[in-house]
Amino acid sequence: MALANNLTAILNLLALLCSIPITASGIWLASKPDNECVNLLRWPVVVLGVLILVVSACGFIGAYQYKETLLAVYLCCMAILIGLLLVVLIFAFVVTRPDGSYQVPGRGYKEYRLEGFSNWLRENVVYSKNWRKIRACLADSNSGCCKPPTACGYNFVNPTLWQNPTNMAADADCYLWSNDQSQLCYNCNSCKAGLLGNLRQDWRKANLILIITVVVLIWVYVIACSAFRNAQTEDLFRKYKQGWV
């Protein structure tokens, strides 16, 4: 019984440690300039990380002090949290899977097409009623797309000043570029696509950390369930030998 509880306590300590990269991933996403403007799916990750921390701490206390009721509550709550984390992971993977980038001929960088991204991202970011706020935030933070499409043939003066385009008919965005520092290319589809490209890259990086963490959590949870069941079986046999049953 003591051995099983000690094992469960150690496993809960590992689960508690797993909450750190989950919370850190959410905070990292929240700190990225583009995510600061969009406020998309970053806080659910932070909340889940904090809840896993709290539940793991309760499980550790329950195992250390032999509180079977607290351990049962821990196992139930952890199953729910792992399920929610899997839902967030799968959802983020699905909506960030389409890649709207394309290689610019003769250049060492990529640009983006809006139609190359998932419908959900487009509907909830660039086509939403919040785009005006997002656009203002991008302008204030000097992030996002601040250049016209390469195909327009604008001549570079500085990152926010482009002049004398040679091929205005190449893209509708060529006519939307403005050297007004409050306008730039924030009304361009290429700018909106660039924002989605940045969001996608950030989320794919965070997903890698979350996938590793959730695999460890599932492994810890399965072993903890087995240890808890074994502890209950040992307790039942002990009571039987003592004549309580």
Coordinates of all heavy atoms in Angstrom, one line a residue, residues 65-155:
Q65 N -0.5 11.5 1.7 CA -1.2 11.3 3.0 C -2.2 10.2 3.0 O -3.0 10.1 3.9 CB -1.9 12.7 3.3 CG -0.9 13.8 3.6 CD -1.6 15.1 4.0 OE1 -2.9 15.1 4.0 NE2 -0.9 16.1 4.4
Y66 N -2.1 9.3 1.9 CA -3.0 8.2 1.8 C -4.5 8.6 1.8 O -5.3 7.9 2.5 CB -2.7 7.2 2.9 CG -1.2 6.8 3.1 CD1 -0.6 7.2 4.3 CD2 -0.5 6.2 2.1 CE1 0.8 6.9 4.4 CE2 0.8 5.9 2.2 CZ 1.5 6.3 3.4 OH 2.8 6.0 3.5
K67 N -4.9 9.6 1.1 CA -6.3 10.0 1.0 C -6.9 9.5 -0.3 O -6.7 10.0 -1.4 CB -6.3 11.6 1.0 CG -5.7 12.2 2.2 CD -6.5 12.0 3.5 CE -6.0 12.9 4.6 NZ -6.8 12.7 5.9
E68 N -7.5 8.3 -0.2 CA -8.1 7.7 -1.3 C -9.1 8.5 -2.1 O -9.2 8.5 -3.3 CB -8.6 6.3 -1.0 CG -7.6 5.3 -0.6 CD -8.2 3.9 -0.5 OE1 -9.4 3.7 -0.9 OE2 -7.4 3.0 -0.1
T69 N -9.9 9.2 -1.3 CA -11.0 10.0 -1.9 C -10.3 11.1 -2.8 O -10.8 11.4 -3.9 CB -11.9 10.7 -0.9 OG1 -12.5 9.6 -0.1 CG2 -13.0 11.5 -1.5
L70 N -9.3 11.8 -2.3 CA -8.6 12.8 -3.0 C -7.9 12.3 -4.2 O -7.9 12.9 -5.3 CB -7.6 13.5 -2.1 CG -7.0 14.8 -2.6 CD1 -8.1 15.9 -2.8 CD2 -6.0 15.4 -1.5
L71 N -7.4 11.1 -4.1 CA -6.8 10.4 -5.3 C -7.8 10.1 -6.4 O -7.5 10.3 -7.6 CB -6.0 9.2 -4.8 CG -4.7 9.3 -4.2 CD1 -4.2 8.0 -3.7 CD2 -3.7 9.9 -5.2
A72 N -9.0 9.7 -5.9 CA -10.0 9.4 -6.9 C -10.5 10.6 -7.6 O -10.7 10.6 -8.9 CB -11.2 8.7 -6.2
V73 N -10.6 11.7 -6.9 CA -11.0 13.0 -7.5 C -9.9 13.4 -8.5 O -10.2 13.9 -9.6 CB -11.2 14.1 -6.4 CG1 -11.4 15.4 -7.0 CG2 -12.4 13.7 -5.6
Y74 N -8.6 13.3 -8.0 CA -7.5 13.6 -8.9 C -7.6 12.9 -10.2 O -7.4 13.5 -11.3 CB -6.2 13.3 -8.2 CG -5.0 13.0 -9.1 CD1 -4.4 14.1 -9.8 CD2 -4.6 11.7 -9.3 CE1 -3.4 13.8 -10.7 CE2 -3.6 11.4 -10.2 CZ -3.0 12.5 -10.9 OH -2.0 12.2 -11.8
L75 N -7.8 11.6 -10.2 CA -7.8 10.8 -11.4 C -8.9 11.2 -12.3 O -8.8 11.2 -13.5 CB -7.9 9.3 -11.0 CG -6.7 8.7 -10.4 CD1 -7.0 7.2 -9.9 CD2 -5.5 8.7 -11.3
C76 N -10.1 11.5 -11.7 CA -11.2 11.9 -12.5 C -11.0 13.2 -13.2 O -11.2 13.4 -14.4 CB -12.5 12.0 -11.6 SG -14.0 12.5 -12.5
C77 N -10.5 14.2 -12.4 CA -10.2 15.6 -12.9 C -9.1 15.5 -14.0 O -9.2 16.2 -15.0 CB -9.9 16.5 -11.8 SG -11.2 16.9 -10.7
M78 N -8.0 14.7 -13.7 CA -6.9 14.7 -14.7 C -7.4 14.1 -16.0 O -6.9 14.5 -17.1 CB -5.8 13.9 -14.1 CG -4.5 13.9 -14.9 SD -3.9 15.5 -15.2 CE -3.1 15.9 -13.6
A79 N -8.2 13.1 -16.0 CA -8.8 12.5 -17.2 C -9.5 13.6 -18.0 O -9.3 13.7 -19.3 CB -9.7 11.3 -16.9
I80 N -10.3 14.4 -17.4 CA -11.0 15.5 -18.0 C -10.0 16.5 -18.6 O -10.2 16.9 -19.8 CB -12.0 16.2 -17.1 CG1 -13.1 15.2 -16.6 CG2 -12.6 17.4 -17.7 CD1 -14.0 15.7 -15.5
L81 N -9.0 16.9 -17.9 CA -8.0 17.9 -18.3 C -7.2 17.4 -19.5 O -6.9 18.1 -20.4 CB -7.1 18.3 -17.2 CG -7.8 19.1 -16.1 CD1 -6.8 19.4 -14.9 CD2 -8.3 20.4 -16.6
I82 N -6.8 16.1 -19.4 CA -6.0 15.5 -20.5 C -6.9 15.5 -21.8 O -6.5 15.8 -22.9 CB -5.5 14.1 -20.2 CG1 -4.4 14.2 -19.1 CG2 -5.0 13.4 -21.4 CD1 -4.0 12.9 -18.6
G83 N -8.2 15.2 -21.6 CA -9.1 15.2 -22.7 C -9.3 16.5 -23.4 O -9.3 16.7 -24.6
L84 N -9.4 17.6 -22.5 CA -9.5 18.9 -23.0 C -8.3 19.4 -23.7 O -8.3 20.1 -24.8 CB -9.8 19.9 -21.8 CG -11.2 19.8 -21.2 CD1 -11.3 20.7 -20.0 CD2 -12.3 20.2 -22.2
L85 N -7.1 19.0 -23.2 CA -5.8 19.4 -23.8 C -5.7 18.7 -25.2 O -5.2 19.3 -26.1 CB -4.7 19.0 -22.9 CG -3.3 19.4 -23.3 CD1 -3.2 20.9 -23.5 CD2 -2.2 18.9 -22.3
L86 N -6.2 17.5 -25.3 CA -6.1 16.8 -26.6 C -7.1 17.5 -27.6 O -6.7 17.6 -28.8 CB -6.6 15.3 -26.4 CG -5.5 14.4 -25.8 CD1 -6.1 13.0 -25.5 CD2 -4.4 14.2 -26.8
V87 N -8.2 17.9 -27.1 CA -9.2 18.6 -28.0 C -8.5 19.9 -28.5 O -8.6 20.2 -29.7 CB -10.5 19.0 -27.2 CG1 -11.3 20.0 -28.0 CG2 -11.3 17.7 -26.9
V88 N -7.9 20.7 -27.6 CA -7.2 21.9 -28.0 C -6.1 21.6 -29.0 O -5.9 22.3 -30.1 CB -6.6 22.7 -26.8 CG1 -5.7 23.8 -27.3 CG2 -7.7 23.2 -25.9
L89 N -5.3 20.5 -28.8 CA -4.2 20.2 -29.7 C -4.7 19.8 -31.0 O -4.2 20.2 -32.1 CB -3.4 19.0 -29.0 CG -2.2 19.3 -28.2 CD1 -1.7 18.0 -27.6 CD2 -1.1 20.0 -29.0
I90 N -5.7 18.9 -31.1 CA -6.3 18.5 -32.4 C -6.9 19.6 -33.1 O -6.6 19.8 -34.3 CB -7.3 17.4 -32.1 CG1 -6.6 16.1 -31.6 CG2 -8.0 17.0 -33.4 CD1 -7.6 15.0 -31.1
F91 N -7.6 20.5 -32.4 CA -8.2 21.6 -33.1 C -7.1 22.6 -33.7 O -7.2 23.0 -34.8 CB -9.1 22.4 -32.1 CG -9.7 23.7 -32.6 CD1 -10.8 23.6 -33.5 CD2 -9.2 24.9 -32.3 CE1 -11.3 24.7 -34.0 CE2 -9.7 26.0 -32.8 CZ -10.8 26.0 -33.7
A92 N -6.1 22.9 -32.9 CA -5.0 23.7 -33.3 C -4.3 23.1 -34.5 O -3.9 23.8 -35.5 CB -4.1 24.0 -32.2
F93 N -4.1 21.8 -34.5 CA -3.4 21.1 -35.6 C -4.2 21.2 -36.9 O -3.7 21.5 -37.9 CB -3.2 19.7 -35.2 CG -2.5 18.9 -36.3 CD1 -1.2 19.0 -36.6 CD2 -3.3 18.1 -37.2 CE1 -0.6 18.3 -37.6 CE2 -2.7 17.4 -38.2 CZ -1.3 17.5 -38.4
V94 N -5.6 21.0 -36.7 CA -6.4 21.0 -37.9 C -6.5 22.4 -38.6 O -6.4 22.6 -39.8 CB -7.8 20.5 -37.6 CG1 -8.8 20.8 -38.7 CG2 -7.8 19.0 -37.2
V95 N -6.7 23.4 -37.7 CA -6.9 24.8 -38.3 C -5.6 25.4 -38.8 O -5.6 26.4 -39.5 CB -7.6 25.7 -37.3 CG1 -8.9 25.2 -36.9 CG2 -6.7 26.0 -36.1
T96 N -4.4 24.9 -38.3 CA -3.1 25.4 -38.8 C -2.5 24.5 -39.8 O -1.3 24.8 -40.2 CB -2.2 25.6 -37.6 OG1 -1.9 24.4 -36.9 CG2 -2.7 26.6 -36.6
R97 N -3.1 23.4 -40.2 CA -2.5 22.5 -41.2 C -2.3 23.1 -42.5 O -1.2 23.0 -43.1 CB -3.3 21.2 -41.2 CG -2.6 20.2 -42.1 CD -3.4 18.8 -41.8 NE -2.7 17.7 -42.6 CZ -3.0 17.3 -43.8 NH1 -4.0 17.9 -44.4 NH2 -2.4 16.4 -44.4
P98 N -3.3 23.8 -43.1 CA -3.1 24.4 -44.4 C -2.1 25.5 -44.4 O -2.0 26.3 -43.4 CB -4.5 25.0 -44.8 CG -5.5 24.3 -43.9 CD -4.7 24.0 -42.6
D99 N -1.2 25.5 -45.3 CA -0.1 26.5 -45.4 C -0.2 27.4 -46.6 O -0.1 26.9 -47.7 CB 1.3 25.7 -45.4 CG 2.5 26.7 -45.4 OD1 2.3 27.9 -45.2 OD2 3.6 26.2 -45.6
G100 N -0.5 28.7 -46.3 CA -0.7 29.6 -47.4 C 0.5 30.2 -48.0 O 0.4 31.2 -48.8
S101 N 1.7 29.7 -47.7 CA 2.9 30.3 -48.2 C 3.3 29.8 -49.5 O 2.9 28.7 -50.0 CB 4.1 30.0 -47.2 OG 4.4 28.7 -47.2
Y102 N 4.1 30.6 -50.3 CA 4.6 30.2 -51.6 C 6.0 30.9 -51.7 O 6.2 32.0 -51.2 CB 3.7 30.6 -52.7 CG 3.5 32.1 -52.9 CD1 4.3 32.8 -53.8 CD2 2.5 32.8 -52.2 CE1 4.1 34.1 -54.0 CE2 2.3 34.1 -52.4 CZ 3.1 34.8 -53.3 OH 2.9 36.2 -53.4
Q103 N 6.9 30.2 -52.4 CA 8.2 30.7 -52.6 C 8.2 31.8 -53.7 O 7.6 31.7 -54.8 CB 9.1 29.6 -53.1 CG 10.6 30.0 -53.2 CD 11.2 30.3 -51.8 OE1 10.9 29.5 -50.8 NE2 11.9 31.3 -51.6
V104 N 8.8 33.0 -53.4 CA 8.9 34.1 -54.3 C 10.0 33.8 -55.3 O 11.1 33.5 -54.9 CB 9.2 35.4 -53.6 CG1 9.3 36.5 -54.6 CG2 8.1 35.7 -52.6
P105 N 9.7 33.7 -56.6 CA 10.8 33.4 -57.6 C 12.0 34.3 -57.5 O 11.8 35.5 -57.5 CB 10.0 33.5 -59.0 CG 8.6 33.4 -58.6 CD 8.4 34.0 -57.3
G106 N 13.2 33.7 -57.4 CA 14.4 34.4 -57.4 C 14.7 35.1 -56.1 O 15.7 35.9 -56.0
R107 N 13.9 34.8 -55.1 CA 14.1 35.4 -53.8 C 14.3 34.3 -52.7 O 13.8 33.2 -52.9 CB 13.0 36.4 -53.4 CG 12.7 37.5 -54.4 CD 13.9 38.4 -54.5 NE 13.6 39.4 -55.5 CZ 13.1 40.6 -55.2 NH1 12.8 41.0 -54.0 NH2 13.0 41.5 -56.2
G108 N 14.9 34.7 -51.6 CA 15.1 33.7 -50.6 C 14.1 33.7 -49.5 O 14.4 33.3 -48.3
Y109 N 12.9 34.2 -49.8 CA 11.9 34.2 -48.7 C 10.5 33.8 -49.4 O 10.4 33.7 -50.6 CB 11.8 35.6 -48.1 CG 11.5 36.7 -49.1 CD1 10.3 37.1 -49.6 CD2 12.6 37.5 -49.6 CE1 10.0 38.1 -50.5 CE2 12.4 38.5 -50.5 CZ 11.1 38.8 -51.0 OH 10.9 39.8 -51.9
K110 N 9.5 33.7 -48.5 CA 8.2 33.3 -48.9 C 7.2 34.4 -48.7 O 7.4 35.2 -47.8 CB 7.7 32.0 -48.2 CG 8.5 30.8 -48.5 CD 7.9 29.6 -47.8 CE 8.7 28.3 -48.2 NZ 8.1 27.1 -47.5
E111 N 6.2 34.5 -49.4 CA 5.0 35.3 -49.2 C 3.8 34.4 -49.0 O 3.9 33.2 -49.2 CB 4.9 36.4 -50.3 CG 6.0 37.4 -50.3 CD 5.8 38.5 -51.3 OE1 5.0 38.3 -52.3 OE2 6.5 39.5 -51.2
Y112 N 2.6 35.1 -48.8 CA 1.5 34.3 -48.4 C 0.2 34.7 -49.2 O 0.1 35.8 -49.6 CB 1.1 34.5 -46.9 CG 2.3 34.1 -46.0 CD1 3.3 35.0 -45.6 CD2 2.3 32.8 -45.5 CE1 4.3 34.6 -44.8 CE2 3.4 32.4 -44.7 CZ 4.3 33.3 -44.3 OH 5.4 32.9 -43.5
R113 N -0.6 33.7 -49.5 CA -1.9 33.9 -50.1 C -3.0 33.6 -49.1 O -3.0 32.5 -48.5 CB -2.1 33.0 -51.3 CG -1.1 33.4 -52.5 CD -1.5 32.6 -53.8 NE -0.7 33.0 -54.9 CZ 0.4 32.4 -55.3 NH1 0.8 31.3 -54.6 NH2 1.1 32.8 -56.3
L114 N -4.0 34.5 -49.0 CA -5.0 34.3 -47.9 C -5.8 33.0 -48.1 O -6.2 32.4 -47.2 CB -5.9 35.5 -48.0 CG -6.8 35.8 -46.8 CD1 -6.0 35.9 -45.5 CD2 -7.6 37.1 -47.0
E115 N -6.1 32.7 -49.4 CA -6.9 31.5 -49.7 C -6.2 30.2 -49.3 O -6.8 29.1 -49.3 CB -7.3 31.5 -51.1 CG -6.2 31.4 -52.1 CD -5.7 32.8 -52.5 OE1 -6.0 33.8 -51.8 OE2 -5.0 32.9 -53.6
G116 N -4.9 30.2 -49.0 CA -4.2 29.0 -48.7 C -4.4 28.6 -47.2 O -3.9 27.5 -46.8
F117 N -5.0 29.4 -46.4 CA -5.2 29.1 -45.0 C -6.6 28.5 -44.7 O -7.5 28.6 -45.6 CB -4.9 30.3 -44.1 CG -3.5 30.8 -44.2 CD1 -3.1 31.8 -45.0 CD2 -2.5 30.2 -43.4 CE1 -1.8 32.2 -45.1 CE2 -1.2 30.6 -43.4 CZ -0.8 31.6 -44.3
S118 N -6.7 28.0 -43.5 CA -8.0 27.3 -43.2 C -9.2 28.3 -43.1 O -8.9 29.5 -42.8 CB -7.9 26.6 -41.9 OG -7.8 27.5 -40.8
N119 N -10.4 27.9 -43.4 CA -11.5 28.8 -43.4 C -11.7 29.3 -42.0 O -12.1 30.5 -41.8 CB -12.8 28.0 -43.8 CG -12.8 27.7 -45.3 OD1 -12.2 28.4 -46.1 ND2 -13.5 26.6 -45.7
W120 N -11.4 28.5 -40.9 CA -11.6 28.9 -39.6 C -10.7 30.1 -39.2 O -11.2 31.1 -38.6 CB -11.4 27.8 -38.6 CG -11.8 28.1 -37.2 CD1 -13.0 27.9 -36.6 CD2 -11.0 28.7 -36.2 NE1 -13.0 28.4 -35.3 CE2 -11.8 28.9 -35.0 CE3 -9.7 29.2 -36.1 CZ2 -11.3 29.5 -33.8 CZ3 -9.2 29.8 -35.0 CH2 -10.0 29.9 -33.8
L121 N -9.5 30.0 -39.6 CA -8.5 31.1 -39.3 C -9.0 32.4 -40.1 O -9.0 33.5 -39.5 CB -7.1 30.8 -39.8 CG -6.3 30.0 -38.7 CD1 -4.9 29.7 -39.3 CD2 -6.1 30.9 -37.5
R122 N -9.4 32.2 -41.3 CA -9.8 33.4 -42.1 C -11.1 34.1 -41.5 O -11.2 35.3 -41.4 CB -10.0 33.0 -43.5 CG -8.7 32.9 -44.3 CD -9.0 32.5 -45.8 NE -9.5 31.1 -45.9 CZ -10.1 30.6 -47.0 NH1 -10.3 31.4 -48.0 NH2 -10.4 29.4 -47.1
E123 N -12.0 33.2 -41.1 CA -13.3 33.7 -40.6 C -13.1 34.4 -39.3 O -13.8 35.4 -39.0 CB -14.3 32.6 -40.5 CG -14.8 32.0 -41.8 CD -15.6 33.1 -42.6 OE1 -16.2 34.0 -42.0 OE2 -15.6 32.9 -43.9
N124 N -12.2 33.9 -38.4 CA -12.1 34.4 -37.1 C -11.0 35.4 -36.9 O -10.9 36.0 -35.8 CB -11.9 33.2 -36.1 CG -13.1 32.4 -35.9 OD1 -13.9 32.7 -35.1 ND2 -13.2 31.3 -36.7
V125 N -10.3 35.7 -37.9 CA -9.2 36.7 -37.8 C -9.4 37.8 -38.8 O -9.8 38.9 -38.5 CB -7.8 36.1 -38.0 CG1 -6.7 37.2 -37.9 CG2 -7.5 35.0 -36.9
V126 N -9.2 37.5 -40.1 CA -9.3 38.6 -41.1 C -10.7 39.0 -41.6 O -10.9 40.1 -42.0 CB -8.4 38.2 -42.3 CG1 -7.0 38.0 -41.9 CG2 -8.9 37.0 -43.0
Y127 N -11.6 38.0 -41.4 CA -13.0 38.4 -41.9 C -13.9 38.7 -40.7 O -15.1 38.9 -40.9 CB -13.6 37.2 -42.6 CG -12.9 36.9 -43.9 CD1 -13.0 35.6 -44.5 CD2 -12.2 37.8 -44.6 CE1 -12.3 35.3 -45.7 CE2 -11.5 37.5 -45.8 CZ -11.6 36.2 -46.3 OH -11.0 35.9 -47.5
S128 N -13.4 38.7 -39.5 CA -14.2 39.0 -38.3 C -14.4 40.5 -38.1 O -13.7 41.3 -38.7 CB -13.5 38.3 -37.1 OG -12.4 39.1 -36.7
K129 N -15.4 40.7 -37.2 CA -15.6 42.1 -36.9 C -14.5 42.8 -36.1 O -14.5 44.0 -35.9 CB -16.9 42.2 -36.1 CG -16.9 41.5 -34.8 CD -18.2 41.6 -34.1 CE -18.2 40.8 -32.7 NZ -19.5 40.9 -32.0
N130 N -13.6 41.9 -35.6 CA -12.5 42.4 -34.8 C -11.3 42.9 -35.7 O -10.3 43.3 -35.1 CB -12.0 41.4 -33.8 CG -13.1 41.0 -32.8 OD1 -13.8 41.9 -32.4 ND2 -13.2 39.7 -32.5
W131 N -11.3 42.7 -37.0 CA -10.2 43.0 -37.8 C -9.7 44.5 -37.7 O -8.5 44.7 -37.7 CB -10.4 42.7 -39.3 CG -9.3 43.2 -40.2 CD1 -9.3 44.2 -41.0 CD2 -7.9 42.7 -40.1 NE1 -8.0 44.4 -41.6 CE2 -7.2 43.4 -41.1 CE3 -7.3 41.6 -39.4 CZ2 -5.8 43.2 -41.3 CZ3 -6.0 41.4 -39.7 CH2 -5.3 42.1 -40.6
R132 N -10.6 45.4 -37.5 CA -10.2 46.8 -37.3 C -9.3 47.0 -36.1 O -8.3 47.7 -36.1 CB -11.4 47.7 -37.3 CG -11.1 49.2 -37.1 CD -12.4 50.1 -37.3 NE -12.9 49.9 -38.6 CZ -14.0 50.6 -39.0 NH1 -14.6 51.5 -38.1 NH2 -14.5 50.5 -40.2
K133 N -9.7 46.3 -35.0 CA -8.9 46.4 -33.8 C -7.6 45.7 -34.0 O -6.5 46.2 -33.5 CB -9.7 45.7 -32.6 CG -10.9 46.5 -32.2 CD -11.6 45.8 -31.0 CE -12.9 46.5 -30.6 NZ -13.5 45.8 -29.5
I134 N -7.6 44.5 -34.7 CA -6.4 43.8 -34.9 C -5.4 44.6 -35.8 O -4.2 44.7 -35.5 CB -6.7 42.4 -35.6 CG1 -7.5 41.5 -34.7 CG2 -5.4 41.8 -36.1 CD1 -8.0 40.3 -35.3
R135 N -6.0 45.3 -36.8 CA -5.2 46.1 -37.7 C -4.6 47.3 -36.9 O -3.4 47.6 -37.1 CB -6.1 46.6 -38.8 CG -5.5 47.6 -39.8 CD -6.5 48.1 -40.8 NE -6.0 49.1 -41.6 CZ -5.8 50.4 -41.2 NH1 -6.2 50.8 -40.0 NH2 -5.3 51.3 -42.1
A136 N -5.3 47.9 -36.1 CA -4.8 49.0 -35.3 C -3.7 48.5 -34.4 O -2.6 49.2 -34.2 CB -5.9 49.7 -34.5
C137 N -3.9 47.4 -33.8 CA -2.9 46.8 -32.9 C -1.6 46.5 -33.6 O -0.5 46.7 -33.2 CB -3.4 45.5 -32.2 SG -2.2 44.7 -31.2
L138 N -1.7 45.9 -34.8 CA -0.5 45.6 -35.7 C 0.2 46.9 -36.0 O 1.5 46.9 -36.0 CB -1.0 44.9 -36.9 CG -1.5 43.4 -36.8 CD1 -2.0 42.9 -38.1 CD2 -0.4 42.5 -36.3
A139 N -0.5 47.9 -36.4 CA 0.1 49.2 -36.7 C 0.9 49.8 -35.5 O 2.0 50.3 -35.6 CB -0.9 50.2 -37.2
D140 N 0.3 49.7 -34.3 CA 0.9 50.2 -33.1 C 2.2 49.4 -32.7 O 3.1 49.9 -32.2 CB -0.1 50.2 -31.9 CG -1.1 51.2 -32.1 OD1 -0.9 52.2 -32.9 OD2 -2.2 51.1 -31.5
S141 N 2.1 48.1 -33.0 CA 3.2 47.2 -32.5 C 4.3 47.0 -33.6 O 5.3 46.3 -33.4 CB 2.7 45.9 -32.1 OG 2.1 45.2 -33.2
N142 N 4.0 47.6 -34.8 CA 5.0 47.5 -35.9 C 5.2 46.0 -36.3 O 6.3 45.7 -36.6 CB 6.3 48.2 -35.6 CG 6.1 49.7 -35.5 OD1 5.4 50.3 -36.3 ND2 6.8 50.3 -34.5
S143 N 4.2 45.2 -36.2 CA 4.3 43.8 -36.5 C 3.4 43.5 -37.7 O 2.7 44.4 -38.2 CB 4.0 42.9 -35.4 OG 2.7 43.1 -35.0
G144 N 3.5 42.2 -38.1 CA 2.6 41.9 -39.3 C 3.3 42.2 -40.6 O 4.5 42.5 -40.6
C145 N 2.5 42.3 -41.7 CA 3.1 42.6 -43.0 C 3.2 44.1 -43.2 O 2.2 44.8 -43.1 CB 2.2 41.9 -44.1 SG 2.7 42.3 -45.7
C146 N 4.4 44.5 -43.5 CA 4.6 46.0 -43.7 C 5.2 46.2 -45.1 O 6.0 47.2 -45.2 CB 5.4 46.6 -42.6 SG 4.7 46.7 -41.0
K147 N 5.0 45.3 -46.0 CA 5.5 45.5 -47.4 C 4.5 45.1 -48.4 O 3.7 44.2 -48.2 CB 6.8 44.7 -47.5 CG 6.6 43.2 -47.4 CD 7.9 42.4 -47.6 CE 8.4 42.5 -49.1 NZ 7.5 41.8 -50.0
P148 N 4.6 45.7 -49.6 CA 3.7 45.3 -50.7 C 4.2 44.0 -51.3 O 5.4 43.6 -51.1 CB 3.9 46.4 -51.7 CG 5.3 47.0 -51.4 CD 5.5 46.8 -50.0
P149 N 3.4 43.2 -52.0 CA 3.8 42.0 -52.7 C 5.0 42.3 -53.6 O 5.1 43.3 -54.3 CB 2.6 41.6 -53.5 CG 1.4 42.2 -52.7 CD 1.9 43.5 -52.2
T150 N 5.9 41.3 -53.6 CA 7.1 41.5 -54.5 C 6.8 41.6 -55.9 O 7.5 42.4 -56.6 CB 8.0 40.2 -54.3 OG1 8.4 40.1 -52.9 CG2 9.3 40.3 -55.1
A151 N 5.7 41.0 -56.4 CA 5.3 41.0 -57.8 C 5.0 42.5 -58.2 O 5.1 42.8 -59.5 CB 4.1 40.1 -58.0
C152 N 4.7 43.4 -57.3 CA 4.4 44.7 -57.7 C 5.6 45.5 -58.2 O 5.4 46.5 -58.9 CB 3.8 45.5 -56.5 SG 2.3 44.7 -55.8
G153 N 6.8 45.1 -57.8 CA 8.0 45.7 -58.3 C 8.3 47.0 -57.7 O 9.0 47.9 -58.2
Y154 N 7.8 47.2 -56.4 CA 8.2 48.5 -55.7 C 9.6 48.5 -55.4 O 10.3 47.4 -55.2 CB 7.4 48.5 -54.4 CG 6.0 49.1 -54.5 CD1 4.9 48.3 -54.7 CD2 5.8 50.4 -54.3 CE1 3.6 48.8 -54.8 CE2 4.5 51.0 -54.4 CZ 3.4 50.1 -54.7 OH 2.1 50.6 -54.7
N155 N 10.2 49.6 -55.3 CA 11.6 49.8 -55.0 C 11.7 50.1 -53.5 O 11.0 51.0 -52.9 CB 12.3 51.0 -55.7 CG 12.4 50.7 -57.2 OD1 12.8 49.6 -57.6 ND2 12.0 51.6 -58.1

